[in-house]
Amino acid sequence: MPLDPAEIQAELDRRRPGQSKIVTQRKEADEVEILSGVVDGLTVGTPIGMMVRNQDARSRDYDEIRDKYRPSHADFAYDQKFGIRAWSGGGRASARETIGRVAAGALAKKALRLLFGVEIVAYVETVQDLKASIDPLTVTLDQVESNIVRCPDPEAAAKMLDRIEQIRKDGNSVGGVIGCVARGVPAGWGEPIFDKLEADLGKAILSLPACKGFEVGSGFAGTLLTGLEHNDEYFADEERHVSTLTNLSGGIQGGISNGMPILMRAAFKPVATILHEQRTVTTDHENTTLKGRGRHDPCVLPRAVPMVEAMAAIILLDHALRQTPNSLTFS
Amino acid sequence: MPLDPAEIQAELDRRRPGQSKIVTQRKEADEVEILSGVVDGLTVGTPIGMMVRNQDARSRDYDEIRDKYRPSHADFAYDQKFGIRAWSGGGRASARETIGRVAAGALAKKALRLLFGVEIVAYVETVQDLKASIDPLTVTLDQVESNIVRCPDPEAAAKMLDRIEQIRKDGNSVGGVIGCVARGVPAGWGEPIFDKLEADLGKAILSLPACKGFEVGSGFAGTLLTGLEHNDEYFADEERHVSTLTNLSGGIQGGISNGMPILMRAAFKPVATILHEQRTVTTDHENTTLKGRGRHDPCVLPRAVPMVEAMAAIILLDHALRQTPNSLTFS
Amino acid sequence: MPLDPAEIQAELDRRRPGQSKIVTQRKEADEVEILSGVVDGLTVGTPIGMMVRNQDARSRDYDEIRDKYRPSHADFAYDQKFGIRAWSGGGRASARETIGRVAAGALAKKALRLLFGVEIVAYVETVQDLKASIDPLTVTLDQVESNIVRCPDPEAAAKMLDRIEQIRKDGNSVGGVIGCVARGVPAGWGEPIFDKLEADLGKAILSLPACKGFEVGSGFAGTLLTGLEHNDEYFADEERHVSTLTNLSGGIQGGISNGMPILMRAAFKPVATILHEQRTVTTDHENTTLKGRGRHDPCVLPRAVPMVEAMAAIILLDHALRQTPNSLTFS
Amino acid sequence: MPLDPAEIQAELDRRRPGQSKIVTQRKEADEVEILSGVVDGLTVGTPIGMMVRNQDARSRDYDEIRDKYRPSHADFAYDQKFGIRAWSGGGRASARETIGRVAAGALAKKALRLLFGVEIVAYVETVQDLKASIDPLTVTLDQVESNIVRCPDPEAAAKMLDRIEQIRKDGNSVGGVIGCVARGVPAGWGEPIFDKLEADLGKAILSLPACKGFEVGSGFAGTLLTGLEHNDEYFADEERHVSTLTNLSGGIQGGISNGMPILMRAAFKPVATILHEQRTVTTDHENTTLKGRGRHDPCVLPRAVPMVEAMAAIILLDHALRQTPNSLTFS
């Protein structure tokens, strides 16, 4: 397929620190270099290697955490596991690793669009208790990108912006929920039993930093309904195309897509780095306190939107390419 | 390790249909036969093959669904994917497949207990809007098994029982939330980036039939808090053993266990088979209606409790055995 | 696809002990029961479970080897690895496990034939220094099955039969080489770099008990030629169909099939169980001697022929189903 | 572990084009840059990223093959598979990809040596019919590196050198056999059934460009012996350490190492690029001829020696790290 590095860069810029006043002010250009797999602007079927060099690694910002575990960070768990820790910048637990996910996701989104007509849009749905009103059937990328919160409901976005600004001034942080829809997925993607489509999507999104929960379709709210209310009744139109009247299943039944839009939600906790003193222990396991400093993210959600899209796209493309061609039949 | 078939059977009996008045009355004995891997009551390190024959397959119960897709079942999606469907009993989308998970989970739970002192307990936390009060630090299997709902809060259990009874009489169904705790997991289990412990647990549990959501630690509720409220501060006791003051992380940070109890919650939708007429389509994609009949589960949660335990145990044991022995060091 | 248990059974009977005077006289019926995946004689796309119960396990035949390691058997290595050993009948190192491979291979061969027109034939090519003359382009299953040695060259087969008979009377054993051809494989199966078609075929066949070597195309003999002699020149016929003038590549170039017949050879050592006294050690690591007894295979090759076919078929079908459908293009 | 980029570079230099007069004279510096995983000269447990940029890609050398398939190269098969081909330099079928294998192998060899005391040495054993006399129990890296053929038998090396020189002048090419020994592997590495140690080693080495055959222990020659001659008898020394009197098994029995040196041999065909006119077809499938030109390898074996070591090391380390720690027992 045709591939322009600028397409990848555009996605990386949505994830990049310093892109707006409500995200961390670390200055990371995150410039991507395509190392392989593209000749004369066309992918040639070989692996596409991409590299982003870290240009703004200020190790001195991390001096204090060399000897102290940051609360609710992975420092302690990593040290317990590996006995050694790349403390500078958080090592592998740093959300910097999501650059690779977003770069790969840019490719997956493009392939899904060109090969299958599938479109994936993620958006900020809540920040703390502030809830946006969004229609996943019609929401567009332009609406999402119309403000720096990446919330396509302008009114809610304005309130969220105020909240995040306030929280940033307080040196505190907030979390929220990101919604994501995949439109145009045909019926039949997914696998029975273990590799159900919602299970693979769940794993991919739960592997994002700060993600603590995942829902498909009605999710936790669906547990309040009865079967009579929750069931998605089928109907056929005049061309015998089958749809459901409701979509509480979120486009997946028994692990396999049913042709309706796939609906997901992911919970992101408030980021752990805050500019307040908190109890913690040293690497020698002595009690102490630690106060975050430097350039922190008051709310990870605006930057997590492209990450969620990326993970959804990668999983969907993987399942799309597993489909056995219909031409293979025993007739 | 020593292994008695009765241990496996005991777990299967917790999952079995017909075990109480609030689950499906299908009579499936679910008797397990151990085919391999055990000699003189000891496992010998070779694969443990187990078989449960389906003794009560009444295909005639499924006659009507041969030609109609049941709403919110996987029938339609399977037909779209495979072009052929084992319609009798739901085929691979039938929850009967969870027999294998529970049998394997019985082994994993035992190995975790004997090798690592890890204990896993799941329980019904909500049925619709009825919410139990449960302390995951102390809840026991005996408390869970003290009533047929498998809710360790006796007062809530009684209310849930009434609700399920009522729903069963109405030919309707309800869902709810299952909580699960793993106590005794040492710090250091899990992997960075993609195979984070919560991601693998999430995938495993989201692959269970009817599961629509998964949370670890504070989950979706955690998005309402600020970082200052949400962070788990560390402290060391006199033996320099490190714990956290709170456990909103749910025992996992950055994908790796931190030594605190691992806390999970899973949302189960109301089961789709209900004794009410609903709109649907035929396999020829013509509009029609369908009314469930026969022996349905008004609430899948009591039987899903051992399934959640099983999946959690399998994932935890898998990660436990991936640990590199400390003896391998470059000193 | 249509599936009759008798088809599986026919392949198992080619592998079965006691099938002729030149193989072990253990009486194992090896009757297969199909547990799942087939409804009314048709596979329905769900996993096909098959079971063969071991009916003639005479543990007393193995009494002596409880405490002694048989030379060139896996007993010692298993004990070193696992610290426990299923000594009765050789445990997992017993060639009995190949029943499962042959059963799966029967399915794979049938699917390859019906879906792709691919035909796989293996045959005994040498027994010790006795070499048959076989044309892999034309050899048929009937020719292979025309004698109990499974060598399609009748003259060589007669000599091999005499040799094996003599060796059996001496209580000794012999090895040899099995050739295998896959005809009808289209160009384009395989993968670059690590999962090259010859690499996957090699792994599968080297995993068979007693296999010590694997070649594709010219193999070791090809190292005696120059590039000028070894290169397979291409030519196109009037329909622009491309073939090679020679086939020293064995149908695979750069890990990917080129449309020519795939040619493989596998070396099988003389089986280790012989009726002669040999030096060995006890499980307490004291020197002793051991003399095999009971029902041994003087030559494993006739029974290994269906195993090689099975492994080749399984790998080829796996690669066949990985092909991306041509309909997925970015045009 | 301590890691100096120079260690990786030293291995890459053994594989590098232009290193001596008997290999291709392409000038590729193959300089490695370590991108991640090493801090202050120590690996920190995170992935070690390495990059080698291709500095001397002369695409014009490949102009003619844009429209013609080179005999016995992967050009045709790739085009059939992918419908597109990175023709410049052979694309993914180019042996340039082995840079990555050799770099990873350098790490694996070091870890095997430091953690387990395992030493791996490969060497050129034959070039065409010229056969060296080598004792795998004592051969050293220094002996291998003492001449540009990488044959530790000086007399044979001299003859091989003459042969390769002659062949180079003729614009032709030759193949041969590389032997490889792994000394110090303890008993117990490997897996039963499918992932037997020899099967994994075989796959890894058969995946190298130009490799057409693989043997372990006695290999094809072992098929000429009887069981009585072939069996490796065990004996115990005074410390009850168990060895075998012979090592025709090549250090592996039933897929699992037995503590004896692991012995392997790999056949490499004469390289396909020769400076002679040969028949072939165009990408339009019309008959034509092609004569190689430019900088070809008359004999790939000297450069393949570090590749074989690398693949053996990677597989052995993988199996080494799969061992369950002895501390996990059910006592």
Side-chain angles (χ1 to χ4, degrees):
Chain A
M1 69 179 182
L3 184 65
D4 182 343
E7 298 172 80
I8 311 291
Q9 192 62 54
E11 284 297 317
L12 293 184
D13 289 346
R14 298 175 73 204
R15 193 216 74 94
R16 191 168 55 81
Q19 64 181 273
S20 78
K21 63 183 176 182
I22 59 167
V23 305
T24 175
Q25 294 303 302
R26 284 200 314 273
K27 293 275 175 348
E28 297 172 12
D30 287 355
E31 257 179 82
V32 69
E33 176 188 1
I34 295 187
L35 297 171
S36 68
V38 179
V39 176
D40 298 336
L42 274 177
T43 64
V44 289
T46 62
I48 299 169
M50 298 183 277
M51 183 170 60
V52 174
R53 289 188 188 265
N54 192 355
Q55 306 284 12
D56 184 42
R58 287 205 233 157
S59 291
R60 67 177 178 281
D61 279 9
Y62 296 97
D63 261 6
E64 191 175 9
I65 64 171
R66 187 166 196 159
D67 303 317
K68 293 178 180 180
Y69 298 125
R70 291 168 297 168
S72 281
H73 271 275
D75 306 340
F76 172 71
Y78 269 61
D79 250 8
Q80 292 296 108
K81 181 178 186 66
F82 294 110
I84 190 169
R85 177 165 53 101
W87 51 269
S88 161
R92 297 190 83 197
S94 166
R96 278 179 188 138
E97 59 90 353
T98 58
I99 293 175
R101 305 184 189 230
V102 170
L107 292 174
K109 280 198 286 186
K110 181 166 184 180
L112 281 171
R113 192 174 65 242
L114 293 183
L115 289 175
F116 303 101
V118 168
E119 192 181 21
I120 296 172
V121 183
Y123 39 82
V124 173
E125 195 172 302
T126 72
V127 167
Q128 277 195 309
D129 57 307
L130 303 172
K131 185 156 175 33
S133 170
I134 302 161
D135 178 3
L137 299 189
T138 58
V139 63
T140 66
L141 175 64
D142 283 351
Q143 290 165 358
V144 173
E145 295 299 311
S146 68
N147 60 69
I148 59 176
V149 182
R150 294 209 165 83
C151 172
D153 170 350
E155 227 168 304
K159 287 181 195 159
M160 290 171 179
L161 189 56
D162 286 348
R163 176 74 56 88
I164 297 171
E165 275 288 299
Q166 186 56 49
I167 281 286
R168 188 181 62 75
K169 282 177 199 150
D170 293 350
N172 207 340
S173 66
V174 285
V177 173
I178 289 178
C180 183
V181 60
R183 294 184 296 238
V185 173
W189 292 4
E191 298 291 334
I193 316 288
F194 297 119
D195 294 339
K196 288 193 163 86
L197 193 52
E198 65 269 46
D200 275 356
L201 288 165
K203 172 169 176 175
I205 290 171
L206 283 160
S207 78
L208 287 170
C211 183
K212 304 296 281 182
F214 174 83
E215 295 182 327
V216 64
S218 62
F220 282 88
T223 65
L224 299 174
L225 305 177
T226 67
L228 192 54
E229 297 159 331
H230 191 278
N231 280 353
D232 294 322
E233 294 178 285
Y234 293 108
F235 73 96
D237 65 16
E238 284 168 13
E239 278 85 36
R240 298 201 180 197
H241 179 78
V242 175
S243 308
T244 60
L245 290 165
T246 49
N247 187 16
L248 292 159
S249 300
I252 307 175
Q253 285 164 339
I256 295 170
S257 63
N258 68 356
M260 301 298 291
I262 292 178
L263 305 172
M264 297 159 273
R265 298 173 82 244
F268 286 83
K269 68 168 188 174
V271 284
T273 300
I274 55 174
L275 313 187
H276 288 259
E277 190 150 26
Q278 292 194 286
R279 290 184 59 175
T280 190
V281 294
T282 66
T283 51
D284 291 331
H285 294 191
E286 292 188 348
N287 288 303
T288 182
T289 62
L290 180 69
K291 183 176 169 178
R293 64 189 63 195
R295 308 160 299 178
H296 87 300
D297 259 310
C299 179
V300 80
L301 275 82
R303 294 177 59 206
V305 162
M307 300 178 201
V308 169
E309 286 179 7
M311 297 318 290
I314 289 165
I315 296 300
L316 285 169
L317 183 59
D318 177 45
H319 277 278
L321 297 178
R322 287 193 214 178
Q323 299 308 103
T324 307
N326 290 335
S327 56
L328 289 182
T329 50
F330 294 95
S331 62
Chain B
M1 71 179 178
L3 185 65
D4 182 343
E7 297 172 80
I8 311 291
Q9 193 61 54
E11 284 297 317
L12 295 184
D13 289 346
R14 298 174 74 202
R15 193 214 74 96
R16 192 168 54 83
Q19 64 181 271
S20 77
K21 62 184 177 184
I22 58 168
V23 304
T24 176
Q25 295 303 301
R26 285 200 312 275
K27 294 275 175 348
E28 297 172 12
D30 287 356
E31 259 178 79
V32 69
E33 176 188 2
I34 296 186
L35 296 171
S36 68
V38 180
V39 176
D40 298 337
L42 276 178
T43 63
V44 289
T46 62
I48 298 170
M50 298 184 276
M51 182 170 60
V52 173
R53 289 188 189 266
N54 191 354
Q55 305 285 12
D56 184 42
R58 288 205 234 157
S59 291
R60 69 180 177 278
D61 279 9
Y62 296 98
D63 261 5
E64 193 175 7
I65 65 172
R66 186 164 196 162
D67 304 317
K68 295 180 179 179
Y69 297 124
R70 291 167 296 167
S72 281
H73 271 275
D75 306 341
F76 171 72
Y78 268 62
D79 250 8
Q80 292 297 109
K81 180 179 188 67
F82 295 109
I84 189 170
R85 177 166 52 102
W87 52 268
S88 162
R92 294 190 86 196
S94 166
R96 278 178 189 138
E97 58 90 353
T98 57
I99 293 176
R101 305 185 190 229
V102 171
L107 292 174
K109 281 199 285 186
K110 182 166 182 178
L112 281 171
R113 193 174 65 242
L114 293 184
L115 289 175
F116 304 101
V118 168
E119 192 180 22
I120 297 171
V121 183
Y123 40 81
V124 172
E125 194 172 303
T126 72
V127 168
Q128 277 193 310
D129 56 311
L130 304 172
K131 187 158 173 32
S133 170
I134 301 163
D135 178 3
L137 300 189
T138 58
V139 63
T140 66
L141 174 63
D142 282 352
Q143 288 165 0
V144 173
E145 294 300 310
S146 69
N147 60 70
I148 59 177
V149 183
R150 293 206 166 87
C151 171
D153 170 349
E155 229 169 301
K159 287 181 195 159
M160 291 171 178
L161 188 57
D162 286 350
R163 177 74 57 86
I164 298 170
E165 276 288 297
Q166 185 56 49
I167 281 287
R168 189 181 61 75
K169 280 178 201 151
D170 293 351
N172 207 340
S173 66
V174 285
V177 174
I178 289 179
C180 183
V181 59
R183 296 185 295 238
V185 174
W189 291 4
E191 298 291 334
I193 316 288
F194 297 119
D195 294 339
K196 288 193 164 85
L197 193 52
E198 65 268 47
D200 275 356
L201 288 165
K203 172 168 176 176
I205 289 171
L206 284 160
S207 78
L208 286 171
C211 183
K212 304 296 282 183
F214 173 82
E215 297 181 325
V216 64
S218 62
F220 283 88
T223 66
L224 299 174
L225 305 178
T226 66
L228 191 54
E229 296 160 331
H230 192 277
N231 281 353
D232 294 320
E233 295 179 282
Y234 292 108
F235 73 97
D237 64 17
E238 285 167 13
E239 277 85 35
R240 300 200 179 198
H241 179 77
V242 175
S243 310
T244 59
L245 290 165
T246 49
N247 187 14
L248 292 160
S249 301
I252 307 177
Q253 285 164 339
I256 295 171
S257 62
N258 68 355
M260 300 298 290
I262 293 178
L263 305 173
M264 299 159 271
R265 296 172 83 244
F268 286 83
K269 69 168 186 173
V271 285
T273 300
I274 55 173
L275 313 187
H276 288 258
E277 191 150 25
Q278 291 195 286
R279 289 184 60 174
T280 190
V281 295
T282 67
T283 52
D284 291 331
H285 293 192
E286 293 188 347
N287 288 304
T288 182
T289 62
L290 180 68
K291 184 177 167 178
R293 64 189 65 195
R295 306 160 298 177
H296 87 301
D297 259 309
C299 179
V300 80
L301 276 82
R303 293 177 58 205
V305 162
M307 299 178 200
V308 169
E309 287 178 8
M311 298 317 290
I314 290 165
I315 296 301
L316 285 170
L317 183 60
D318 178 43
H319 277 278
L321 297 178
R322 286 194 213 178
Q323 299 309 102
T324 307
N326 290 336
S327 56
L328 290 183
T329 50
F330 293 95
S331 61
Chain C
M1 70 180 179
L3 184 66
D4 183 341
E7 298 172 81
I8 310 290
Q9 192 62 53
E11 285 297 318
L12 293 184
D13 289 347
R14 296 175 74 202
R15 193 216 73 95
R16 190 169 55 82
Q19 64 181 271
S20 77
K21 62 183 176 182
I22 58 167
V23 304
T24 175
Q25 295 303 304
R26 286 200 312 273
K27 295 275 174 349
E28 296 172 12
D30 286 357
E31 258 179 81
V32 68
E33 177 189 2
I34 295 185
L35 296 170
S36 68
V38 180
V39 176
D40 298 337
L42 276 177
T43 63
V44 290
T46 61
I48 298 171
M50 297 184 276
M51 181 170 61
V52 174
R53 288 188 189 265
N54 191 356
Q55 305 285 13
D56 183 43
R58 285 205 235 159
S59 291
R60 68 178 177 281
D61 281 8
Y62 297 97
D63 261 6
E64 193 174 6
I65 64 173
R66 187 165 197 162
D67 303 317
K68 295 180 180 179
Y69 297 125
R70 291 168 296 167
S72 280
H73 270 276
D75 305 341
F76 172 71
Y78 268 63
D79 251 8
Q80 292 297 108
K81 182 178 186 67
F82 294 110
I84 190 171
R85 176 166 52 101
W87 52 268
S88 162
R92 296 190 84 197
S94 167
R96 279 180 188 136
E97 58 90 353
T98 58
I99 294 175
R101 304 185 189 228
V102 171
L107 293 173
K109 281 199 286 186
K110 183 168 183 178
L112 281 171
R113 194 175 64 243
L114 293 184
L115 289 174
F116 302 102
V118 168
E119 191 180 20
I120 296 171
V121 183
Y123 39 82
V124 173
E125 195 171 303
T126 71
V127 167
Q128 276 193 308
D129 56 310
L130 304 172
K131 185 158 175 32
S133 170
I134 302 162
D135 178 3
L137 299 189
T138 59
V139 64
T140 66
L141 175 63
D142 283 351
Q143 289 165 359
V144 173
E145 295 298 309
S146 69
N147 60 70
I148 59 177
V149 182
R150 293 205 167 86
C151 171
D153 171 348
E155 228 168 302
K159 286 181 198 161
M160 290 170 178
L161 188 56
D162 286 348
R163 177 73 57 89
I164 297 170
E165 275 289 296
Q166 185 58 48
I167 282 287
R168 189 182 59 75
K169 281 177 201 153
D170 293 351
N172 207 340
S173 66
V174 285
V177 172
I178 289 179
C180 183
V181 59
R183 295 185 295 239
V185 174
W189 292 5
E191 298 292 334
I193 317 288
F194 297 119
D195 294 340
K196 289 194 162 84
L197 193 52
E198 65 269 45
D200 275 357
L201 288 166
K203 172 168 177 176
I205 289 172
L206 284 160
S207 78
L208 286 171
C211 183
K212 304 296 283 183
F214 173 82
E215 297 182 323
V216 64
S218 62
F220 282 88
T223 65
L224 299 174
L225 305 177
T226 67
L228 192 53
E229 296 159 332
H230 192 277
N231 281 354
D232 294 321
E233 294 178 284
Y234 292 107
F235 73 96
D237 65 16
E238 286 167 12
E239 276 86 36
R240 298 199 180 199
H241 178 77
V242 175
S243 309
T244 59
L245 291 165
T246 49
N247 188 15
L248 291 159
S249 300
I252 307 176
Q253 285 164 338
I256 295 171
S257 62
N258 68 356
M260 300 298 290
I262 292 177
L263 305 173
M264 298 159 271
R265 297 172 83 245
F268 286 84
K269 69 167 188 174
V271 284
T273 301
I274 55 172
L275 314 187
H276 288 257
E277 190 151 25
Q278 291 194 287
R279 289 184 60 174
T280 191
V281 295
T282 66
T283 52
D284 291 330
H285 294 192
E286 293 188 348
N287 288 304
T288 182
T289 63
L290 181 68
K291 184 176 167 179
R293 64 190 63 196
R295 306 159 301 179
H296 87 300
D297 259 309
C299 179
V300 79
L301 276 84
R303 296 175 58 203
V305 162
M307 299 177 200
V308 169
E309 286 178 7
M311 297 318 290
I314 290 165
I315 296 301
L316 285 169
L317 184 59
D318 178 44
H319 278 278
L321 297 178
R322 287 193 213 178
Q323 299 309 103
T324 308
N326 290 335
S327 56
L328 289 182
T329 50
F330 293 96
S331 62
Chain D
M1 69 180 180
L3 185 65
D4 182 343
E7 297 171 83
I8 311 290
Q9 192 62 52
E11 285 296 317
L12 294 184
D13 289 346
R14 298 175 73 203
R15 192 215 74 94
R16 191 169 53 82
Q19 64 180 272
S20 77
K21 63 184 177 182
I22 58 168
V23 305
T24 176
Q25 294 303 304
R26 287 200 312 273
K27 294 274 174 349
E28 297 171 12
D30 287 357
E31 259 179 79
V32 68
E33 177 188 2
I34 295 186
L35 297 170
S36 67
V38 180
V39 176
D40 298 335
L42 275 178
T43 64
V44 289
T46 62
I48 298 170
M50 298 184 277
M51 182 169 61
V52 174
R53 289 188 189 265
N54 192 356
Q55 305 284 14
D56 183 43
R58 287 205 234 158
S59 291
R60 69 179 177 280
D61 280 7
Y62 297 97
D63 261 6
E64 193 175 7
I65 64 173
R66 187 165 195 160
D67 304 318
K68 295 179 180 180
Y69 297 125
R70 292 168 296 167
S72 281
H73 270 276
D75 305 341
F76 172 72
Y78 268 63
D79 250 8
Q80 292 297 110
K81 181 179 187 68
F82 294 110
I84 189 169
R85 178 166 51 101
W87 51 268
S88 161
R92 294 190 85 198
S94 166
R96 278 179 188 137
E97 57 91 353
T98 57
I99 293 175
R101 305 184 190 229
V102 171
L107 292 174
K109 280 199 285 186
K110 182 166 183 180
L112 281 171
R113 193 174 65 242
L114 293 183
L115 288 174
F116 303 102
V118 168
E119 191 182 20
I120 297 172
V121 183
Y123 40 82
V124 173
E125 193 172 304
T126 72
V127 168
Q128 277 193 309
D129 56 310
L130 303 173
K131 186 156 173 35
S133 171
I134 301 162
D135 178 3
L137 299 190
T138 58
V139 64
T140 66
L141 174 63
D142 283 351
Q143 289 165 359
V144 173
E145 294 299 310
S146 67
N147 61 69
I148 61 178
V149 183
R150 292 207 168 87
C151 170
D153 170 348
E155 228 168 301
K159 287 181 196 162
M160 291 170 178
L161 189 55
D162 286 349
R163 177 74 56 87
I164 297 170
E165 276 289 298
Q166 187 55 50
I167 281 285
R168 189 180 61 74
K169 282 177 199 150
D170 293 350
N172 206 342
S173 66
V174 285
V177 173
I178 289 178
C180 183
V181 59
R183 293 184 297 239
V185 174
W189 291 5
E191 296 292 333
I193 316 290
F194 296 120
D195 294 340
K196 289 193 162 86
L197 193 52
E198 65 268 46
D200 275 357
L201 288 165
K203 172 169 176 176
I205 289 172
L206 284 160
S207 79
L208 288 170
C211 183
K212 304 296 281 184
F214 174 82
E215 295 181 325
V216 63
S218 62
F220 282 89
T223 66
L224 300 174
L225 304 177
T226 66
L228 191 54
E229 296 160 330
H230 193 278
N231 280 354
D232 294 321
E233 294 177 284
Y234 292 109
F235 73 97
D237 64 17
E238 284 167 13
E239 276 85 36
R240 299 200 180 199
H241 178 78
V242 175
S243 309
T244 59
L245 291 165
T246 49
N247 187 14
L248 292 160
S249 301
I252 307 176
Q253 286 164 339
I256 295 170
S257 62
N258 68 356
M260 300 298 291
I262 292 179
L263 305 173
M264 298 159 272
R265 297 172 82 245
F268 286 84
K269 68 167 187 172
V271 284
T273 300
I274 54 173
L275 313 187
H276 289 258
E277 190 148 26
Q278 292 195 287
R279 291 183 58 175
T280 191
V281 296
T282 66
T283 52
D284 291 331
H285 293 193
E286 293 187 348
N287 289 305
T288 183
T289 61
L290 181 67
K291 184 176 167 178
R293 64 189 64 196
R295 307 160 298 179
H296 86 301
D297 259 310
C299 179
V300 81
L301 275 83
R303 294 176 60 206
V305 163
M307 299 177 200
V308 169
E309 285 178 8
M311 298 317 290
I314 290 164
I315 296 300
L316 285 169
L317 183 60
D318 177 43
H319 277 278
L321 297 178
R322 287 193 212 178
Q323 299 308 104
T324 307
N326 291 334
S327 55
L328 289 182
T329 51
F330 293 95
S331 60

